[in-house]
Amino acid sequence: MGGPGRLIGASLSAGVLLAAGACAGDGGGERPAARRPVAATCPVGDPRPEPRFAAGDRRPLGDAGGIRFVEVTRRAGLTGRYTPACGPTECVLVARLDAETGSRVPDDQRAAWCQMERFHGGAAVGDVDGDGHPDLYVTALEGPGRLWRNRGDGTFTEITPSSGLLAVDEPSGAAAFGDLDNDGDEDLVVSSLAGSRTWLFVNDGSGRFREEGSTRGLAPRPGVLLAGYSVTLGDVDRDGWLDVFVTEYGGGVDGNPLPLPATSRLYRNRGTTAPGHFVDATTDAGLGGARARFGFAATIRDLDRDGWADLALTADFGTSRMFWNTGAGMFVDGTEASGAGTDDNGMGATTGDLDGDGVEERFVSSIADGRGSSLTRGGNWTGSGNRLWRVEGRSFVDVTDRWGVRDGRWGWGAAFVDTRNTGRLDLVQASGIDFPYPEVVDPLAPGPTLLWRNDSDVYTEVGAAAGLGVRNGRGLVVFDADGDGRLDLLVVRPGGRPSLWRNESRAGAWLRVRAVGRRSNRDGIGALVTVVPHPGAAPRTVEIQSVTDFAGQSERIAHFGLGEVRGPLARVEVRFPGRDEPVVRTGVRPNRLLVVTEPRDGSPR
């Protein structure tokens, strides 16, 4: 994406970095009184105006084909005050570092840190109180983030002060919910932005959390400053316990003055010997050294269908990697042989069977710059755009231009989503950048949220026509906020400002399947859910996963659009990780949530 190290180095030499820019505006309302504020981030009396961008949103409105989204952020109760990103040398990160070290961060490092907070904006979906409704957690530049409880109708009440999350006052990068100790409730992992550790909040079963990372194996790394951007959960060794992968940005690009670690981290769950406790397995799993650097997003999913969860890392500066699981959670780098990793500046990613032919596709967002390269203008990216591949075994076949999705401007979070419940997956991507030196980024900013409608054999961009008006997005979350069977979108902007978009499309029938593990992990992550709508119909399969398209964890539920189907479905089966026989259901009626629990013994039920 043109990260801070090389971008700063190039920009300084080109004279692009000017005086500190003004803060972006924040939301209305007040923060809870219990929140301890951080130091102010913008210089007092800074005369420089808000950056102005020339590109705007000039997409034709056209016909969205029945897709319609409506912005409901305030109506839904997602209000409050947010700490915005500021200008190039004064920001939350350097303010914290100045305060904690007792000395001023050197001038040649300040601009690099301040760019990194402009990549910020994460969220996670989880049912923290077990009432069956999806709750929301949004990360923040001034603390561990904010937690909203779903009232059951898609509106929310903030419960941050009573949740225990205020025990940690440190900028948060991204997060993921998951039942890490298999005790029936959702725990929370939060990555750090400018801290020295990853945080683990353990749920007491009622939606109250206690931070226990340091006693559960997510120990601080003294002297290391982290920039964590995504948290992904998966059972990489198939022992029935969720492991944790945290992407961390860094790796030693020439000119990068920041003391950042070189690799993202894999924490293996100790399982039955110590449930919900972890050991750093990065090196032992084959991911150490410079193999997993500049990470933004990660996918833990069985991409080659050999029964073991693989790891796809989406990363900056051409360092995206494809790691195949060789069994028991050991990985081998298969990037070059597979044809993966051709993106220039990978940021977000999503995986799914977009055309229903049984072969999955993988999309990675990057930078599409009509100038080709920005190097002569003070930047450091080559703007060849997004990538879309068909994943055929262990081969990635590029179909980007065939489907027409190369130009996503400055891409971030991305997700395949069946907006109309047709059975075909559309593609949503957040985009934009707000660096306070428009000479470099004008053609790419502020960036619309793009929506490519699936027209069976090509994608057609209809975001503006569908009503998606949010710009400059980062993290992206897909979930059914109000339980109506239509998938809603949450886009998070820099500084943790959420924008909720309710799906009011003309939609068909649907089925949602939640898998509950007993021998496998309780969240059912890694389970394959297959639906046959009617006799003779082609089966459709979805793998339940901890989706982190970029700093955004969507619902861990398999969603199937069924179109005109009205009667009972021919067959629904759930194959839990490591089991030979699926759990089968017949006669399931559409338009409902089906919960399937794994049997304890070896026979299906």
Side-chain angles (χ1 to χ4, degrees):
M1 93 325 125
R6 289 180 63 181
L7 179 56
I8 288 299
S11 295
L12 283 174
S13 64
V16 173
L17 281 183
L18 305 176
C23 285
D26 54 20
E30 296 296 329
R31 297 285 289 171
R35 172 72 75 201
R36 179 164 58 89
V38 246
T41 61
C42 287
V44 176
D46 186 345
R48 189 172 184 210
E50 178 80 12
R52 299 178 62 89
F53 302 105
D57 187 354
R58 298 170 181 166
R59 297 172 296 165
L61 291 180
D63 178 13
I67 305 174
R68 175 178 167 79
F69 284 90
V70 177
E71 200 272 332
V72 295
T73 310
R74 290 189 174 275
R75 273 193 286 152
L78 302 179
T79 59
R81 188 171 297 279
Y82 305 92
T83 297
C86 295
T89 60
E90 301 297 331
C91 58
V92 167
L93 296 179
V94 297
R96 291 192 67 93
L97 292 171
D98 285 348
E100 292 178 5
T101 62
S103 60
R104 179 181 169 85
V105 174
D107 289 342
D108 64 350
Q109 296 183 19
R110 299 180 79 83
W113 277 116
C114 289
Q115 285 199 55
M116 298 191 73
E117 77 173 29
R118 292 179 180 275
F119 313 154
H120 180 275
V125 176
D127 183 4
V128 301
D129 52 4
D131 66 354
H133 304 296
D135 307 308
L136 278 174
Y137 175 86
V138 179
T139 61
L141 285 173
E142 76 275 30
R146 307 177 70 181
L147 180 63
W148 282 278
R149 174 173 287 149
N150 194 322
R151 297 187 181 104
D153 59 358
T155 63
F156 297 85
T157 301
E158 185 174 359
I159 58 171
T160 314
S162 63
S163 68
L165 297 177
L166 292 175
V168 176
D169 185 19
E170 179 174 291
S172 48
F177 285 106
D179 190 351
L180 300 176
D181 47 13
N182 285 347
D183 67 350
D185 54 46
E186 302 278 1
D187 307 306
L188 178 65
V189 182
V190 180
S191 67
S192 175
L193 204 59
S196 62
R197 55 171 294 190
T198 298
W199 306 94
L200 171 56
F201 295 93
V202 178
N203 194 335
D204 69 0
S206 68
R208 289 188 57 85
F209 296 86
R210 184 173 62 187
E211 206 291 313
E212 298 184 10
S214 60
T215 61
R216 288 178 175 248
L218 304 185
R221 285 178 269 163
V224 174
L225 300 175
L226 303 181
Y229 282 107
S230 292
V231 179
T232 308
L233 310 179
D235 185 0
V236 300
D237 50 5
R238 219 168 65 187
D239 64 351
W241 302 86
L242 289 177
D243 308 303
V244 176
F245 187 81
V246 182
T247 63
E248 295 176 359
Y249 193 92
V253 163
D254 292 342
N256 189 338
L258 303 179
L260 293 170
T263 63
S264 301
R265 314 303 296 179
L266 173 66
Y267 298 97
R268 197 185 304 274
N269 199 320
R270 294 173 60 189
T272 54
T273 60
H277 291 69
F278 297 86
V279 60
D280 189 331
T282 308
T283 300
D284 291 344
L287 304 173
R291 295 181 180 89
R293 56 183 183 158
F294 297 110
F296 273 133
T299 301
I300 296 179
R301 187 182 182 119
D302 184 8
L303 289 170
D304 58 1
R305 288 290 182 258
D306 67 351
W308 295 92
D310 306 303
L311 172 63
L313 176 68
T314 306
D316 206 355
F317 299 120
T319 61
S320 291
R321 312 305 294 171
M322 183 65 241
F323 297 103
W324 301 112
N325 194 331
T326 62
M330 303 296 294
F331 294 93
V332 60
D333 189 338
T335 309
E336 303 301 328
S338 68
T342 61
D343 47 286
D344 296 319
N345 300 101
M347 289 178 280
T350 185
T351 305
D353 182 359
L354 66 86
D355 50 7
D357 67 351
V359 178
E360 292 197 321
E361 281 78 21
R362 176 167 170 79
F363 174 84
V364 168
S365 65
S366 188
I367 302 172
D369 193 337
R371 301 167 298 185
S373 172
S374 67
L375 294 175
T376 62
R377 298 168 179 85
N380 68 333
W381 56 86
T382 300
S384 65
N386 299 329
R387 294 294 188 275
L388 178 66
W389 299 277
R390 279 174 59 86
V391 184
E392 300 177 353
R394 289 192 171 184
S395 295
F396 282 60
V397 179
D398 194 318
V399 293
T400 309
D401 294 322
R402 170 188 159 191
W403 282 88
V405 293
R406 183 174 297 275
D407 187 359
R409 301 193 185 183
W410 192 299
W412 294 100
F416 286 125
V417 52
D418 188 348
T419 59
R420 297 163 293 170
N421 290 337
T422 62
R424 298 191 302 268
L425 296 180
D426 306 308
L427 175 61
V428 182
Q429 181 205 286
S431 73
I433 195 63
D434 60 351
F435 290 148
Y437 27 92
E439 299 91 330
V440 182
V441 298
D442 245 354
L444 302 166
T449 295
L450 301 164
L451 169 59
W452 285 281
R453 184 185 64 212
N454 190 328
D455 291 332
S456 297
D457 59 353
V458 69
Y459 272 129
T460 302
E461 207 288 306
V462 296
L468 285 177
V470 62
R471 299 182 182 183
N472 201 31
R474 298 296 184 268
L476 175 66
V477 165
V478 179
F479 70 126
D480 185 2
D482 51 5
D484 67 353
R486 291 176 291 188
L487 294 174
D488 307 303
L489 303 175
L490 183 82
V491 181
V492 185
R493 291 167 288 176
R497 290 176 290 164
S499 184
L500 179 61
W501 294 80
R502 182 154 295 158
N503 189 342
E504 296 186 357
S505 305
R506 298 194 302 268
W510 50 276
L511 178 72
R512 290 161 60 76
V513 181
R514 174 182 290 128
V516 179
R518 285 183 170 172
R519 291 197 316 180
S520 57
N521 67 89
R522 190 176 179 89
D523 287 339
I525 292 176
L528 296 175
V529 183
T530 300
V531 169
V532 180
H534 53 80
R540 290 161 46 202
T541 299
V542 173
E543 180 175 338
I544 295 177
Q545 59 176 320
S546 171
V547 179
T548 51
D549 306 313
F550 167 78
Q553 183 200 42
S554 298
E555 277 186 297
R556 285 147 295 153
I557 291 177
H559 180 99
F560 294 87
L562 300 174
E564 299 302 318
V565 172
R566 293 293 179 263
L569 305 179
R571 182 181 178 92
V572 178
E573 63 180 49
V574 179
R575 189 180 302 273
F576 287 88
R579 299 185 75 102
D580 294 329
E581 297 296 327
V583 180
V584 178
R585 297 285 185 266
T586 58
V588 176
R589 301 198 69 85
N591 301 326
R592 60 169 291 191
L593 172 66
L594 174 67
V595 179
V596 178
T597 301
E598 181 183 22
R600 293 187 184 279
D601 57 23
S603 60
R605 68 173 190 182

mmCIF file of all heavy atoms in Angstrom, residues 474-504:
data_model
loop_
_atom_site.group_PDB
_atom_site.id
_atom_site.type_symbol
_atom_site.label_atom_id
_atom_site.label_comp_id
_atom_site.label_asym_id
_atom_site.label_seq_id
_atom_site.Cartn_x
_atom_site.Cartn_y
_atom_site.Cartn_z
ATOM 1 N N ARG A 474 -11.484 1.675 5.829
ATOM 2 C CA ARG A 474 -10.373 0.766 6.109
ATOM 3 C C ARG A 474 -10.921 -0.651 6.369
ATOM 4 O O ARG A 474 -11.074 -1.438 5.480
ATOM 5 C CB ARG A 474 -9.548 1.265 7.308
ATOM 6 C CG ARG A 474 -8.893 2.619 7.093
ATOM 7 C CD ARG A 474 -7.853 2.623 5.998
ATOM 8 N NE ARG A 474 -7.182 3.924 5.895
ATOM 9 C CZ ARG A 474 -7.567 4.914 5.106
ATOM 10 N NH1 ARG A 474 -8.654 4.775 4.347
ATOM 11 N NH2 ARG A 474 -6.896 6.052 5.066
ATOM 12 N N GLY A 475 -11.242 -0.955 7.636
ATOM 13 C CA GLY A 475 -11.775 -2.264 7.950
ATOM 14 C C GLY A 475 -13.200 -2.423 7.435
ATOM 15 O O GLY A 475 -13.968 -1.455 7.359
ATOM 16 N N LEU A 476 -13.572 -3.667 7.095
ATOM 17 C CA LEU A 476 -14.887 -3.963 6.543
ATOM 18 C C LEU A 476 -15.432 -5.221 7.209
ATOM 19 O O LEU A 476 -14.734 -6.231 7.309
ATOM 20 C CB LEU A 476 -14.767 -4.178 5.034
ATOM 21 C CG LEU A 476 -16.013 -4.609 4.277
ATOM 22 C CD1 LEU A 476 -17.068 -3.514 4.293
ATOM 23 C CD2 LEU A 476 -15.651 -4.961 2.826
ATOM 24 N N VAL A 477 -16.689 -5.141 7.692
ATOM 25 C CA VAL A 477 -17.318 -6.259 8.384
ATOM 26 C C VAL A 477 -18.651 -6.568 7.720
ATOM 27 O O VAL A 477 -19.426 -5.663 7.395
ATOM 28 C CB VAL A 477 -17.539 -5.922 9.880
ATOM 29 C CG1 VAL A 477 -18.507 -6.901 10.526
ATOM 30 C CG2 VAL A 477 -16.207 -5.940 10.623
ATOM 31 N N VAL A 478 -18.941 -7.860 7.518
ATOM 32 C CA VAL A 478 -20.206 -8.322 6.966
ATOM 33 C C VAL A 478 -20.947 -9.104 8.040
ATOM 34 O O VAL A 478 -20.398 -10.047 8.621
ATOM 35 C CB VAL A 478 -19.976 -9.215 5.733
ATOM 36 C CG1 VAL A 478 -21.309 -9.716 5.166
ATOM 37 C CG2 VAL A 478 -19.185 -8.473 4.664
ATOM 38 N N PHE A 479 -22.197 -8.723 8.321
ATOM 39 C CA PHE A 479 -22.989 -9.436 9.317
ATOM 40 C C PHE A 479 -24.460 -9.066 9.153
ATOM 41 O O PHE A 479 -24.793 -8.044 8.546
ATOM 42 C CB PHE A 479 -22.508 -9.138 10.738
ATOM 43 C CG PHE A 479 -22.779 -7.737 11.234
ATOM 44 C CD1 PHE A 479 -23.458 -7.537 12.427
ATOM 45 C CD2 PHE A 479 -22.333 -6.600 10.539
ATOM 46 C CE1 PHE A 479 -23.700 -6.257 12.906
ATOM 47 C CE2 PHE A 479 -22.561 -5.321 11.015
ATOM 48 C CZ PHE A 479 -23.250 -5.149 12.198
ATOM 49 N N ASP A 480 -25.343 -9.911 9.670
ATOM 50 C CA ASP A 480 -26.781 -9.631 9.644
ATOM 51 C C ASP A 480 -27.143 -8.966 10.959
ATOM 52 O O ASP A 480 -27.471 -9.617 11.945
ATOM 53 C CB ASP A 480 -27.565 -10.930 9.443
ATOM 54 C CG ASP A 480 -29.061 -10.695 9.289
ATOM 55 O OD1 ASP A 480 -29.493 -9.526 9.295
ATOM 56 O OD2 ASP A 480 -29.795 -11.695 9.182
ATOM 57 N N ALA A 481 -27.085 -7.641 10.972
ATOM 58 C CA ALA A 481 -27.251 -6.897 12.220
ATOM 59 C C ALA A 481 -28.641 -7.043 12.803
ATOM 60 O O ALA A 481 -28.812 -7.131 14.024
ATOM 61 C CB ALA A 481 -26.929 -5.417 11.995
ATOM 62 N N ASP A 482 -29.680 -7.063 11.945
ATOM 63 C CA ASP A 482 -31.056 -7.027 12.438
ATOM 64 C C ASP A 482 -31.796 -8.344 12.265
ATOM 65 O O ASP A 482 -33.000 -8.425 12.512
ATOM 66 C CB ASP A 482 -31.842 -5.906 11.752
ATOM 67 C CG ASP A 482 -31.722 -5.962 10.228
ATOM 68 O OD1 ASP A 482 -31.109 -6.911 9.709
ATOM 69 O OD2 ASP A 482 -32.224 -5.040 9.568
ATOM 70 N N GLY A 483 -31.103 -9.402 11.824
ATOM 71 C CA GLY A 483 -31.711 -10.717 11.757
ATOM 72 C C GLY A 483 -32.749 -10.906 10.667
ATOM 73 O O GLY A 483 -33.597 -11.805 10.773
ATOM 74 N N ASP A 484 -32.695 -10.102 9.598
ATOM 75 C CA ASP A 484 -33.696 -10.215 8.541
ATOM 76 C C ASP A 484 -33.229 -11.067 7.362
ATOM 77 O O ASP A 484 -33.925 -11.167 6.350
ATOM 78 C CB ASP A 484 -34.128 -8.838 8.052
ATOM 79 C CG ASP A 484 -33.014 -8.083 7.317
ATOM 80 O OD1 ASP A 484 -31.858 -8.568 7.300
ATOM 81 O OD2 ASP A 484 -33.309 -7.003 6.761
ATOM 82 N N GLY A 485 -32.044 -11.678 7.481
ATOM 83 C CA GLY A 485 -31.540 -12.540 6.421
ATOM 84 C C GLY A 485 -30.817 -11.816 5.303
ATOM 85 O O GLY A 485 -30.366 -12.462 4.356
ATOM 86 N N ARG A 486 -30.704 -10.497 5.397
ATOM 87 C CA ARG A 486 -29.934 -9.726 4.425
ATOM 88 C C ARG A 486 -28.662 -9.231 5.090
ATOM 89 O O ARG A 486 -28.709 -8.721 6.212
ATOM 90 C CB ARG A 486 -30.756 -8.543 3.891
ATOM 91 C CG ARG A 486 -31.923 -8.968 3.019
ATOM 92 C CD ARG A 486 -32.776 -7.794 2.595
ATOM 93 N NE ARG A 486 -33.515 -7.204 3.717
ATOM 94 C CZ ARG A 486 -34.450 -6.257 3.580
ATOM 95 N NH1 ARG A 486 -34.743 -5.796 2.370
ATOM 96 N NH2 ARG A 486 -35.074 -5.775 4.636
ATOM 97 N N LEU A 487 -27.531 -9.370 4.394
ATOM 98 C CA LEU A 487 -26.238 -9.077 4.999
ATOM 99 C C LEU A 487 -25.947 -7.585 4.966
ATOM 100 O O LEU A 487 -25.976 -6.952 3.902
ATOM 101 C CB LEU A 487 -25.140 -9.860 4.277
ATOM 102 C CG LEU A 487 -25.237 -11.381 4.436
ATOM 103 C CD1 LEU A 487 -24.206 -12.078 3.561
ATOM 104 C CD2 LEU A 487 -25.075 -11.785 5.896
ATOM 105 N N ASP A 488 -25.661 -7.033 6.143
ATOM 106 C CA ASP A 488 -25.354 -5.621 6.303
ATOM 107 C C ASP A 488 -23.842 -5.420 6.307
ATOM 108 O O ASP A 488 -23.066 -6.377 6.452
ATOM 109 C CB ASP A 488 -25.973 -5.107 7.609
ATOM 110 C CG ASP A 488 -27.459 -5.433 7.702
ATOM 111 O OD1 ASP A 488 -28.210 -5.039 6.798
ATOM 112 O OD2 ASP A 488 -27.862 -6.108 8.680
ATOM 113 N N LEU A 489 -23.418 -4.155 6.170
ATOM 114 C CA LEU A 489 -21.997 -3.822 6.094
ATOM 115 C C LEU A 489 -21.629 -2.791 7.146
ATOM 116 O O LEU A 489 -22.375 -1.831 7.374
ATOM 117 C CB LEU A 489 -21.649 -3.250 4.714
ATOM 118 C CG LEU A 489 -21.967 -4.107 3.491
ATOM 119 C CD1 LEU A 489 -21.656 -3.315 2.222
ATOM 120 C CD2 LEU A 489 -21.170 -5.403 3.515
ATOM 121 N N LEU A 490 -20.488 -2.974 7.773
ATOM 122 C CA LEU A 490 -19.893 -1.958 8.633
ATOM 123 C C LEU A 490 -18.544 -1.606 8.037
ATOM 124 O O LEU A 490 -17.693 -2.477 7.849
ATOM 125 C CB LEU A 490 -19.717 -2.457 10.065
ATOM 126 C CG LEU A 490 -19.157 -1.418 11.039
ATOM 127 C CD1 LEU A 490 -20.285 -0.508 11.527
ATOM 128 C CD2 LEU A 490 -18.459 -2.077 12.222
ATOM 129 N N VAL A 491 -18.358 -0.326 7.717
ATOM 130 C CA VAL A 491 -17.078 0.159 7.215
ATOM 131 C C VAL A 491 -16.488 1.062 8.287
ATOM 132 O O VAL A 491 -17.166 1.955 8.804
ATOM 133 C CB VAL A 491 -17.257 0.948 5.899
ATOM 134 C CG1 VAL A 491 -15.896 1.427 5.377
ATOM 135 C CG2 VAL A 491 -17.950 0.081 4.852
ATOM 136 N N VAL A 492 -15.228 0.838 8.649
ATOM 137 C CA VAL A 492 -14.566 1.624 9.691
ATOM 138 C C VAL A 492 -13.551 2.548 9.033
ATOM 139 O O VAL A 492 -12.725 2.114 8.232
ATOM 140 C CB VAL A 492 -13.884 0.723 10.727
ATOM 141 C CG1 VAL A 492 -13.316 1.576 11.869
ATOM 142 C CG2 VAL A 492 -14.858 -0.303 11.278
ATOM 143 N N ARG A 493 -13.630 3.822 9.395
ATOM 144 C CA ARG A 493 -12.730 4.830 8.842
ATOM 145 C C ARG A 493 -11.594 5.111 9.825
ATOM 146 O O ARG A 493 -11.650 4.691 10.980
ATOM 147 C CB ARG A 493 -13.534 6.091 8.529
ATOM 148 C CG ARG A 493 -14.506 5.895 7.374
ATOM 149 C CD ARG A 493 -15.507 7.018 7.272
ATOM 150 N NE ARG A 493 -16.495 6.957 8.342
ATOM 151 C CZ ARG A 493 -17.449 7.875 8.533
ATOM 152 N NH1 ARG A 493 -17.518 8.919 7.745
ATOM 153 N NH2 ARG A 493 -18.305 7.743 9.509
ATOM 154 N N PRO A 494 -10.538 5.808 9.381
ATOM 155 C CA PRO A 494 -9.382 6.045 10.258
ATOM 156 C C PRO A 494 -9.787 6.650 11.594
ATOM 157 O O PRO A 494 -10.635 7.541 11.664
ATOM 158 C CB PRO A 494 -8.522 7.012 9.438
ATOM 159 C CG PRO A 494 -8.853 6.690 8.026
ATOM 160 C CD PRO A 494 -10.314 6.364 8.023
ATOM 161 N N GLY A 495 -9.170 6.163 12.653
ATOM 162 C CA GLY A 495 -9.495 6.627 13.990
ATOM 163 C C GLY A 495 -10.612 5.840 14.642
ATOM 164 O O GLY A 495 -10.998 6.128 15.769
ATOM 165 N N GLY A 496 -11.163 4.829 13.965
ATOM 166 C CA GLY A 496 -12.208 4.007 14.550
ATOM 167 C C GLY A 496 -13.600 4.595 14.418
ATOM 168 O O GLY A 496 -14.438 4.395 15.296
ATOM 169 N N ARG A 497 -13.881 5.304 13.324
ATOM 170 C CA ARG A 497 -15.214 5.860 13.109
ATOM 171 C C ARG A 497 -16.033 4.863 12.293
ATOM 172 O O ARG A 497 -15.787 4.688 11.098
ATOM 173 C CB ARG A 497 -15.128 7.206 12.393
ATOM 174 C CG ARG A 497 -14.560 8.314 13.262
ATOM 175 C CD ARG A 497 -14.417 9.596 12.472
ATOM 176 N NE ARG A 497 -13.351 9.467 11.479
ATOM 177 C CZ ARG A 497 -13.214 10.307 10.446
ATOM 178 N NH1 ARG A 497 -14.070 11.285 10.271
ATOM 179 N NH2 ARG A 497 -12.218 10.161 9.607
ATOM 180 N N PRO A 498 -17.038 4.213 12.887
ATOM 181 C CA PRO A 498 -17.807 3.209 12.158
ATOM 182 C C PRO A 498 -18.892 3.843 11.300
ATOM 183 O O PRO A 498 -19.425 4.909 11.612
ATOM 184 C CB PRO A 498 -18.432 2.378 13.281
ATOM 185 C CG PRO A 498 -18.607 3.361 14.401
ATOM 186 C CD PRO A 498 -17.441 4.312 14.299
ATOM 187 N N SER A 499 -19.231 3.183 10.217
ATOM 188 C CA SER A 499 -20.328 3.593 9.352
ATOM 189 C C SER A 499 -21.128 2.337 9.024
ATOM 190 O O SER A 499 -20.627 1.434 8.342
ATOM 191 C CB SER A 499 -19.786 4.254 8.077
ATOM 192 O OG SER A 499 -20.825 4.739 7.272
ATOM 193 N N LEU A 500 -22.361 2.258 9.529
ATOM 194 C CA LEU A 500 -23.196 1.064 9.379
ATOM 195 C C LEU A 500 -24.176 1.249 8.227
ATOM 196 O O LEU A 500 -24.914 2.238 8.174
ATOM 197 C CB LEU A 500 -23.959 0.783 10.677
ATOM 198 C CG LEU A 500 -24.895 -0.436 10.667
ATOM 199 C CD1 LEU A 500 -24.119 -1.722 10.394
ATOM 200 C CD2 LEU A 500 -25.650 -0.536 11.987
ATOM 201 N N TRP A 501 -24.198 0.260 7.325
ATOM 202 C CA TRP A 501 -25.036 0.316 6.134
ATOM 203 C C TRP A 501 -25.985 -0.875 6.137
ATOM 204 O O TRP A 501 -25.573 -2.018 6.003
ATOM 205 C CB TRP A 501 -24.161 0.329 4.877
ATOM 206 C CG TRP A 501 -23.360 1.593 4.822
ATOM 207 C CD1 TRP A 501 -22.205 1.860 5.498
ATOM 208 C CD2 TRP A 501 -23.700 2.778 4.114
ATOM 209 N NE1 TRP A 501 -21.790 3.140 5.253
ATOM 210 C CE2 TRP A 501 -22.683 3.734 4.398
ATOM 211 C CE3 TRP A 501 -24.735 3.130 3.261
ATOM 212 C CZ2 TRP A 501 -22.691 5.007 3.857
ATOM 213 C CZ3 TRP A 501 -24.745 4.403 2.714
ATOM 214 C CH2 TRP A 501 -23.736 5.331 3.017
ATOM 215 N N ARG A 502 -27.270 -0.572 6.308
ATOM 216 C CA ARG A 502 -28.295 -1.619 6.368
ATOM 217 C C ARG A 502 -28.694 -2.032 4.952
ATOM 218 O O ARG A 502 -28.942 -1.197 4.084
ATOM 219 C CB ARG A 502 -29.516 -1.115 7.128
ATOM 220 C CG ARG A 502 -30.629 -2.145 7.289
ATOM 221 C CD ARG A 502 -31.456 -1.850 8.508
ATOM 222 N NE ARG A 502 -30.637 -2.001 9.718
ATOM 223 C CZ ARG A 502 -30.924 -1.414 10.880
ATOM 224 N NH1 ARG A 502 -31.977 -0.624 10.996
ATOM 225 N NH2 ARG A 502 -30.142 -1.612 11.928
ATOM 226 N N ASN A 503 -28.758 -3.330 4.745
ATOM 227 C CA ASN A 503 -29.120 -3.892 3.452
ATOM 228 C C ASN A 503 -30.641 -3.882 3.293
ATOM 229 O O ASN A 503 -31.357 -4.564 4.019
ATOM 230 C CB ASN A 503 -28.582 -5.319 3.362
ATOM 231 C CG ASN A 503 -28.711 -5.916 1.975
ATOM 232 O OD1 ASN A 503 -29.475 -5.434 1.133
ATOM 233 N ND2 ASN A 503 -27.981 -6.986 1.729
ATOM 234 N N GLU A 504 -31.128 -3.091 2.341
ATOM 235 C CA GLU A 504 -32.555 -3.034 2.042
ATOM 236 C C GLU A 504 -32.818 -3.464 0.603
ATOM 237 O O GLU A 504 -33.762 -3.016 -0.050
ATOM 238 C CB GLU A 504 -33.093 -1.634 2.314
ATOM 239 C CG GLU A 504 -32.998 -1.227 3.778
ATOM 240 C CD GLU A 504 -33.665 0.095 4.084
ATOM 241 O OE1 GLU A 504 -34.169 0.742 3.128
ATOM 242 O OE2 GLU A 504 -33.689 0.484 5.266
#
